[in-house]
Each structure stands twice: as C-alpha cells, then as structure tokens.
Amino acid sequence: MYTILEKQVLSDVTKLMVVEAPHVARKAQPGQFVIVICDAQGERVPLTIADYDRQAGTITLIFQEVGKSTLQMGTMLPGQSFYSVAGPLGHPTEIENYGTVACVAGGVGIAPVFPIARSLKEAGNHVISIIGARNKSLLFWEDRMRAVSDELVVCTDDGSYGRKALVTEPLKELLTERVGQIAKVWAIGPTIMMKFVASTTQPFNVATIVSLNTIMIDGTGMCGGCRVAMTDGAKFVCVDGPEFDGHKVDWSNLLSRVQFYRDEEQAAVRHWDEQRESAAHVCNLEGVPAAGGPA
Amino acid sequence: MTPLTQKERMAISRQGMPVQAPEVRAGNFEEVALGFTPELAQLESERCLQCAKPRCVDGCPVGVQIPQFIKALRDGDLPGSVQAMKAKNNLPAICGRVCPQESQCEAACVLGKKGQPVAIGRLERYVGDFELLEHTCPPVAAPSSGRKVAVVGSGPAGLTCAVDLALLGHKVTIFESLHVPGGVLVYGIPEFRLPKSIIHDEIRVAADCLGIEVRTDHVIGNTYTLDELLDEYDAVFLGTGAGLPSFMRIPGINLNGVMSANEFLTRVNLMKGYRFPEYDTPVKVGKRVAVIGAGNVAMDAARSSLRLQTLHSLHSHDNGSSPSEAHIVYRRSRDEVPAREEEFHHAVEEGVICDFLTNPVAILGDENGRVRAMRCIRMQLGEPDASGRRSPIPIEGSEFEMPVDTVVMALGTSPNPIVFNNAVGLERTKHGTTVADPDTGRTTKPGVWAGGDVVTGAATVISAMGAGKRAAADMHRFLSDDSLWNIG
C-alpha cells in the first residue's frame, strides 16, 4: 500500500510523487491535504494534495526538502512505499463562479494552487495566476498553470526568470489597474508571503483566502497544535481550515508558532545526515544521495 | 494441600504490587508496576472467599466472572482462569492495568468492609499477561453469519464491540484514523502505565484469530461518510471517543509553550517523542512545567514531564542551573482531585508538586512569544455545585505570578466532530456527544450504534468497554433477526 508509482525532480529541492492511495483519491478535492509518514519511526507530515486520479486511485504530492522528513521522502524511489497516508483532511476550497479571481503562489505553493486554479477555471472564472519563487530553479509547473489560467505572471526574486519581483508587486498593480474587478484572491506559499499578500489586498478590500501550513500532529482536531489566532478567536488549521480569511489571521502569532520547534528540526536534520554518513561507510548500495534520485 | 479455612484466608494480608522505585522510574518510561510474581498471585488468590453471591461481579462494568477466574488461578489452572476471564473480557492485560478497580469490583469486595479487598485488578493483569505469552485460549469465531459490520474507532469501545461481534460470527472491519489501532490507549495513556506492546499484542491476537480487518489511516466523515459505510455494511458502531481538547479562555493561550494534554501526550506516547531523534517527532518541555487540571490525564502529563526533564538533563550539560519542576495546578483542593488515588499517589511520590486552590487567569509571554509565567489567583471552596463538588471561588486581590515555561492544559475533551460530517439523522447533544440508548447503544440513525466517550464525554476505559459490549449484544440481536433481512 501507499506505493510510490512515479517520481519527478521539479527542482534541486522540490520533488513530485504519484502515490497509490485509493481511499484518499476517491474523495480528494482541491484545498485538502493528507498526513504522510515515511516509516515506523517517522513523524506525521501534512502535505497538500496537488492532484488526484480517482480512476487510478492515486494522488500527487509535491514537497520541498526543508526538514528531516521531507529530505528522507526525497530519497525514496518508485516501488518503495510510505508507512502511512491518511486523508483527505480539512475542508475543500469553496469553488464557485466569482467572476475574475487571482491565484497567487510562491515556491512549493504552486503545487496546491494548481488544482484550485483548475477548478476555478472549470467553474467559469477568469483566472489570473501569479507564480513566483526565489530563483528560476525553484519554479515548476509553469505550463500546467498556464493551461488553467487566462492570464499568467511569472516572477523570481532574483530576476533569473520572468519578471524580477515579489509576487505582491504584480498583484498590487493588478488591484490598482482593475479596481473592483478582482472578486477574490487565493494565496499559498511561505507564511511570510501569505502575510504580505493579505496586507496588499486589505486596502483594496478584496477577499483573500490563504492556506495555512502550521505545526500539526494528528491532523484530525485531536492535538490542537495547529491552532492559529484569528480576529474571531482561535481556530484549528486541520479541521477548521486549512483555508482561512487572510485578513483575520494574527500573522505575528502564526510566524512565531511555526518557528517553535526550529532547534529540534535542525537537530533532526543533523541526526539524519550522521546516520546517512555512517550508513554510506558500511554499505555502498545504500548511498543514494539525499537530494538526488532519478527524474 | 488441604484448602484453607475462611479464617485462614482472611488472615492473609493484601499483597502489594512490586514497583520501580520512585527515584528510578521518574527517569525512565518503563512500566512502573512490575506485576505479581507467581508466588504473590497464588497468595493473593487464596484471599478470595468465593462468595455465593459475589458482589464484585456486579461492580464490574462488563461483568467479569471474578470468583471463577480467581478459583482457577489458585487451583493452578491458568488456562482455565483465562477462559473464565475471556468469557466477558477479551482485553484483561489492558483492564488489569487501567481500570479504576478501587471504585468498581474491589469497592464491592466483601473483604473490603473490615479490611483490604482482594487485589482483583492485579490478579486480572497477572492472568492477562500469562495469556499474552502462552496463548492457551485463542478466541474462536462462531460460524459466519454473513453479516458485515463497520466499527469506527479502535479504542476500548470499538475494540470490545468488534471482538464481541466477530466472536458471534459477524465480519467486522475496524476503521481507525491514526496509523496504529488502540485509540486513547496508544495516544493518551503513557508507556509507563500501559506498555504499547501489550495493546499491540492484545489487538493482534484478537484480530488474527477472529478475522477482524483493521483499516488504519481512514478518517470516517472524510474518507467515507457514515452513509457510505451504511451502503456497504449491515450495521455501524461509532466508538470515536472524545478527542477534541478544551483550552481555557484566558489571554496568552496561543503563546509558544502552551499545549493541550492531547498534543503533549500524543507527541510522547503515539509518536514516541521521548526517543527523539531516533523517532522523528520532538516534544519540547521546559524546566518549569505547569499542568492545569488534576484528572488522570493531568497526572499522566505531569509524570511524563518529569521523565522528559530527567532524560533531558542527562543529555545536556547544564549541571549548574536550577532543578526542573513539574506542577499540577488545580482550582479545587486535594479532596476534590478527580484522578485515581493510585495515580495521584504515584505522581506525588515521583516528585510532582501540587498547587491546589490555584487558577491561572493569564499566561504571560516574553518578547519572542514564548511562555515566561502564569498569572494565577488563589481560590477558596464555596457551596457544592451541580457536580456535587464544592465550587471554587476566587479570592480577591490574591493574584500572583508563577514563573513557568511550559503550560499543559488537561481540562477534559469533547467528541471529535469529523465523523458527523453529513451524518444526516444522527442526533447530538449541545455538548457534541451522540444521543444513544444507554442499554443498547442505539442512536437516532437506523443501523448506527454508538458507545464510549463519544456518547458519555470523557470517562474511563472500562466504561467504554462496557458500552461497546452492550452495543454488540444489541447489534447481534438486530443482525440475527431474519425478519429484517432478505435471506438468500
């Protein structure tokens, strides 16, 4: 079960995997997520469902290697299996014909934005997408995003591809040039990016949905570790979200909460590196490089 | 050996359970209570008077044949003892450890009137542990009934219901949202009270022998709705427990370092955070922990904190700084502590500090958003409230600051709402619990039964098992009523 059927390297640190998970694929909808565990010692990692195929019983996961678990996932190969895939979790995106909408994605956030943009397009919206990353090598799925968008802006922080800008810049221009036309904005990416998208849209009074990625254990409402302070009280990202009104989020509280386990996350990466080094000395067959793997 | 006279039996004193010494166990996660030796079990079993009308059986929520299992035990017939036990209880190694016997079977024991009751729980554990090693009495399912049942949740209620229905010949599938079965037994109760291997073995034996299928990673309500289960199964049992944590409504609740007991215990127990980084999930506990509440969960959290603090100090080199502390902060007094006496006693023995008649009014953070202190107020006890306990009243002007870096909220839990997504026709109370007949477990939705914490709110393992058992009996009546089914 939970066998990896396909693996693509989207960038040095971004991997795509198509995983056998029929129980999730049959119900998955845009905006929802799964909890993945690599092995019996693994932690529960929430990952947004980037795509799904109900017939084939598969889901597509895209992750960036930022911690021990995602580094480990990145070393896994087609034919290998995850220990656990639970879901689908969280509320789906509320898709309807709003008119003209903007989908803003930063880095690995392009993955969860794609099915949302596709559904919005299918529902009849005029979809304007803005995708961005730190540099060219971190961008992916430009073609897929273009296929589901009426307009697409691509930017990089360093100008190595597309326009040299943060995603908030073209967004602000859009809101300024087409006053009253943009009905709703979705923004998914690093917490700091979503914060600035929300503060960009607020003066224009344009509803802005963000998909929050917090520390989470069970993903079913049991631990409360994912709670986030909102202007209308604390909410659980796993069962009340993961999408929220970006104008109601207490961003400074959220930014401090997602950092809480940073020391431990770094210690886990060190432990993982040490383990792989000692394993490489013992057995060459195990020596698959951490950031590598077949395309 | 000639049997003892009643007088001789009564002269034997209640045998104590060997335990790890407090100063040793406060630094490890191994089981505190070590179990009876064969000699101690023999001696203790001799104390039972084999009453003609045994009251202990009435005190047991599942009606274990206590005199019979004890009689077989003292006659040296352990397989017979297991058989007597398993007629009513298929999870004795678990119940022997976590049942509140002092308020159930042992409270009813006639020996307790003038002296100490028979240590029924310790004997039950002894018999259960023997069976886990020896497998003398594997459960055998009745011939197939052709009926299919879905059990949602694999905690004590679901497990008991599943086993009873499978014994009666029904095909049972258990759906569990987490990656391992056991529910609160694996995420809530710490290793040092109930080793995970015991739960794992009890479930594996029952599932293997009875052909019960356990599907983990299935979040009912999302993965399948209740109606989708009813399309595929002849009946559904909901034993989804009370998994949703409560937080106090005071300022500072979202600071870093404040967590629910559920989060803390799940990190420690289910995810084995105490073995980080060998296991991936970390658990962060500071040098001054305050656990709010004084129930069993609070004791588990405080005792786990002590152990983590000890492990942490062994691994770090800050010998010179102040010693670590784990506090229980409770708004009522010692007399109202809702935890089992034994758990409270163990906690205090291990060094947990109790702050009674104390209630937090705010949690205070530093410039980085981390907890640095709690502002508390002293309480006094007034008139009894609805629960029958004297209600705590704040003493004006008694506020003070308590320096802490970790706050664990152990204030109770309510049912998890996910399972009720699109559950048309299933009535719930305003507390979120499911309405169900206490005798049969029948809900307001045809084909759906419920039992355990999802009906009662947070209660005990054995009361959930009792509810699972009663529901199984009623479900069996329903499933066996041929007039309801098109046969052939």
Side-chain angles (χ1 to χ4, degrees):
Chain A
M1 241 192 349
Y2 313 139
T3 308
I4 300 164
L5 301 177
E6 189 189 330
K7 177 178 176 179
Q8 289 176 26
V9 177
L10 300 180
S11 80
D12 287 352
V13 293
T14 317
K15 306 278 165 17
L16 174 151
M17 285 178 178
V18 178
V19 181
E20 193 176 42
H23 68 300
V24 180
R26 63 184 289 278
K27 285 298 260 307
Q29 290 180 68
Q32 290 189 298
F33 65 99
V34 286
I35 295 266
V36 178
I37 309 178
C38 284
D39 61 27
Q41 286 78 42
E43 61 184 331
R44 295 173 66 89
V45 183
L47 290 175
T48 314
I49 301 167
D51 207 350
Y52 45 83
D53 183 333
R54 301 202 202 288
Q55 243 83 53
T58 60
I59 55 171
T60 300
L61 302 175
I62 294 178
F63 55 90
Q64 200 167 344
E65 292 164 352
V66 288
K68 188 262 168 181
S69 294
T70 42
L71 282 167
Q72 183 179 357
M73 283 174 68
T75 66
M76 292 174 74
L77 301 169
Q80 293 183 312
S81 298
F82 290 115
Y83 177 71
S84 164
V85 178
L89 298 164
H91 289 290
T93 307
E94 285 176 26
I95 303 288
E96 53 185 272
N97 190 347
Y98 299 97
T100 300
V101 295
C103 292
V104 184
V108 76
I110 296 167
V113 158
F114 168 71
I116 295 171
R118 181 175 60 186
S119 292
L120 286 166
K121 175 81 177 153
E122 282 166 5
N125 291 280
H126 180 88
V127 177
I128 303 167
S129 296
I130 301 169
I131 62 172
R134 281 203 309 279
N135 56 56
K136 186 188 174 189
S137 74
L138 295 171
L139 276 174
F140 59 94
W141 278 12
E142 183 188 346
D143 51 339
R144 296 192 81 177
M145 284 303 295
R146 195 175 298 283
V148 299
S149 309
D150 295 280
E151 301 172 46
L152 178 72
V153 180
V154 184
C155 40
T156 51
D157 297 5
D158 66 356
S160 54
Y161 187 77
R163 181 174 164 186
K164 183 179 189 301
L166 301 172
V167 288
T168 44
E169 293 168 46
L171 177 65
K172 191 172 180 183
E173 290 162 15
L174 189 69
L175 294 165
T176 314
E177 286 160 15
R178 304 189 206 179
V179 176
Q181 286 181 40
I182 312 294
K184 211 162 181 174
V185 172
W186 274 262
I188 308 183
T191 304
I192 194 77
M193 181 210 98
M194 294 192 281
K195 172 188 163 155
F196 282 109
V197 168
S199 63
T200 302
T201 58
Q202 191 141 32
F204 296 92
N205 212 8
V206 174
T208 301
I209 304 295
V210 293
S211 179
L212 301 182
N213 189 358
T214 51
I215 287 174
M216 197 178 278
I217 314 275
D218 61 292
T220 63
M222 210 177 78
C223 78
C226 65
R227 68 193 185 282
V228 49
M230 309 280 288
T231 52
D232 51 349
K235 296 272 195 272
F236 286 8
V237 169
C238 64
V239 289
D240 299 319
E243 295 187 358
F244 293 97
D245 179 345
H247 298 153
K248 289 187 176 169
V249 176
D250 178 342
W251 292 100
S252 61
N253 179 252
L254 178 60
L255 282 162
S256 99
R257 283 187 68 81
V258 297
Q259 297 284 322
F260 186 46
Y261 275 92
R262 197 175 47 182
D263 293 349
E264 287 75 9
E265 282 158 14
Q266 287 168 355
V269 170
R270 281 197 301 276
H271 181 74
W272 163 250
D273 286 342
E274 284 163 17
Q275 267 187 321
R276 285 178 63 75
E277 265 168 41
S278 62
H281 284 296
V282 177
C283 173
N284 289 327
L285 291 175
E286 297 287 322
V288 182
Chain B
M1 193 172 87
T2 45
L4 302 179
T5 63
Q6 296 293 75
K7 202 169 174 184
E8 285 169 327
R9 294 190 191 286
M10 289 168 75
I12 306 169
S13 57
R14 179 176 160 110
Q15 299 302 300
M17 176 76 107
V19 293
Q20 280 196 71
E23 60 279 13
V24 175
R25 70 185 193 237
N28 68 53
F29 275 85
E30 278 143 47
E31 196 169 14
V32 169
L34 301 170
F36 270 164
T37 59
E39 295 73 30
L40 287 172
Q42 184 69 42
L43 205 52
E44 186 63 34
S45 69
E46 297 287 359
R47 297 182 65 227
C48 177
L49 300 182
Q50 296 288 310
C51 304
K53 287 183 184 166
R55 296 187 190 178
C56 51
V57 180
D58 297 335
C60 175
V62 299
V64 167
Q65 299 166 19
I66 293 164
Q68 286 89 329
F69 98 75
I70 294 181
K71 174 80 165 48
L73 173 60
R74 82 171 170 223
D75 290 347
D77 176 16
L78 269 163
S81 183
V82 173
Q83 216 156 7
M85 173 77 68
K86 291 219 166 177
K88 294 288 181 183
N89 180 1
N90 275 285
L91 307 166
I94 294 173
C95 292
R97 285 174 167 80
V98 301
C99 267
Q101 290 99 8
E102 67 280 4
S103 60
Q104 297 179 349
C105 53
E106 293 180 17
C109 175
V110 70
L111 285 186
K113 283 193 172 172
K114 283 190 179 162
Q116 291 278 308
V118 174
I120 300 167
R122 293 167 191 174
L123 292 173
E124 179 181 33
R125 168 180 161 162
Y126 181 78
V127 173
D129 286 355
F130 161 82
E131 182 60 8
L132 280 181
L133 285 176
E134 302 297 331
H135 304 296
T136 63
C137 180
V140 179
S144 170
S145 67
R147 305 269 179 259
K148 289 163 67 186
V149 181
V151 170
V152 185
S154 62
L159 278 180
T160 306
C161 183
V163 167
D164 277 16
L165 287 169
L167 280 168
L168 292 162
H170 307 296
K171 175 81 189 96
V172 179
T173 305
I174 297 179
F175 293 91
E176 166 57 47
S177 68
L178 293 171
H179 53 284
V180 285
V184 72
L185 303 172
V186 291
Y187 76 73
I189 301 179
E191 183 77 13
F192 57 80
R193 278 217 287 140
L194 178 63
K196 301 293 160 284
S197 62
I198 301 278
I199 308 158
H200 178 259
D201 289 353
E202 290 251 43
I203 295 175
R204 190 176 44 80
V205 168
D208 288 355
C209 295
L210 298 172
I212 297 171
E213 187 189 349
V214 182
R215 288 200 210 167
T216 51
D217 304 328
H218 281 63
V219 186
I220 301 306
N222 283 7
T223 314
Y224 294 91
T225 62
L226 214 43
D227 283 325
E228 285 174 322
L229 289 182
L230 283 169
D231 287 343
E232 245 185 84
Y233 297 88
D234 299 311
V236 175
F237 176 79
L238 294 184
T240 47
L244 212 65
S246 307
F247 288 90
M248 292 182 89
R249 295 188 182 278
I250 57 174
I253 212 73
N254 293 315
L255 289 165
N256 274 325
V258 183
M259 58 191 143
S260 70
N262 263 8
E263 176 182 352
F264 180 62
L265 292 173
T266 300
R267 283 180 182 274
V268 175
N269 302 327
L270 177 72
M271 306 311 294
K272 297 209 169 18
Y274 62 95
R275 289 169 69 177
F276 175 85
E278 180 195 349
Y279 282 75
D280 289 347
T281 308
V283 55
K284 209 161 177 134
V285 22
K287 301 198 77 169
R288 293 184 60 88
V289 178
V291 177
I292 318 300
N296 289 320
V297 172
M299 300 304 149
D300 286 344
R303 296 172 70 194
S304 297
S305 298
L306 280 181
R307 284 160 172 77
L308 289 167
Q309 288 170 331
T310 307
L311 290 177
H312 187 73
S313 69
L314 290 176
H315 291 150
S316 64
H317 307 285
D318 58 340
N319 299 328
S321 55
S322 58
S324 300
E325 289 179 8
H327 292 244
I328 288 278
V329 177
Y330 184 47
R331 61 195 181 128
R332 301 180 202 250
S333 74
R334 166 70 187 92
D335 292 343
E336 287 77 25
V337 165
R340 285 184 69 190
E341 190 55 38
E342 183 184 327
E343 302 307 328
F344 178 73
H345 171 73
H346 277 156
V348 172
E349 225 178 33
E350 288 166 11
V352 170
I353 301 163
C354 296
D355 300 292
F356 293 121
L357 295 167
T358 303
N359 205 28
V361 291
I363 303 168
L364 312 173
D366 64 15
E367 64 282 3
N368 299 316
R370 293 197 178 188
V371 173
R372 64 165 185 82
M374 281 197 312
R375 183 172 302 126
C376 298
I377 191 163
R378 301 277 184 211
M379 312 290 276
Q380 57 189 349
L381 292 179
E383 294 301 308
D385 64 9
S387 73
R389 293 177 298 180
R390 294 177 62 192
S391 59
I393 302 161
I395 301 173
E396 221 175 296
S398 68
E399 288 193 13
F400 66 101
E401 248 182 50
M402 178 178 181
V404 293
D405 50 24
T406 308
V407 178
V408 179
M409 297 272 161
L411 300 160
T413 50
S414 54
N416 191 315
I418 295 183
V419 73
F420 305 108
N421 285 345
N422 299 314
V424 180
L426 191 76
E427 199 183 315
R428 290 198 286 156
T429 68
K430 65 178 194 303
H431 305 294
T433 52
T434 304
V435 175
D437 184 314
D439 295 325
T440 64
R442 285 196 188 209
T443 68
T444 53
K445 191 174 174 69
V448 179
W449 282 254
D453 286 3
V454 72
V455 173
T456 57
T460 62
V461 168
I462 191 69
S463 68
M465 291 174 68
K469 218 167 184 58
R470 289 190 298 278
D474 191 61
M475 291 168 85
H476 178 59
R477 276 192 290 277
F478 169 79
L479 293 165
S480 311
D481 184 347
D482 286 344
S483 67
L484 294 169
W485 307 90
N486 293 321
I487 305 298

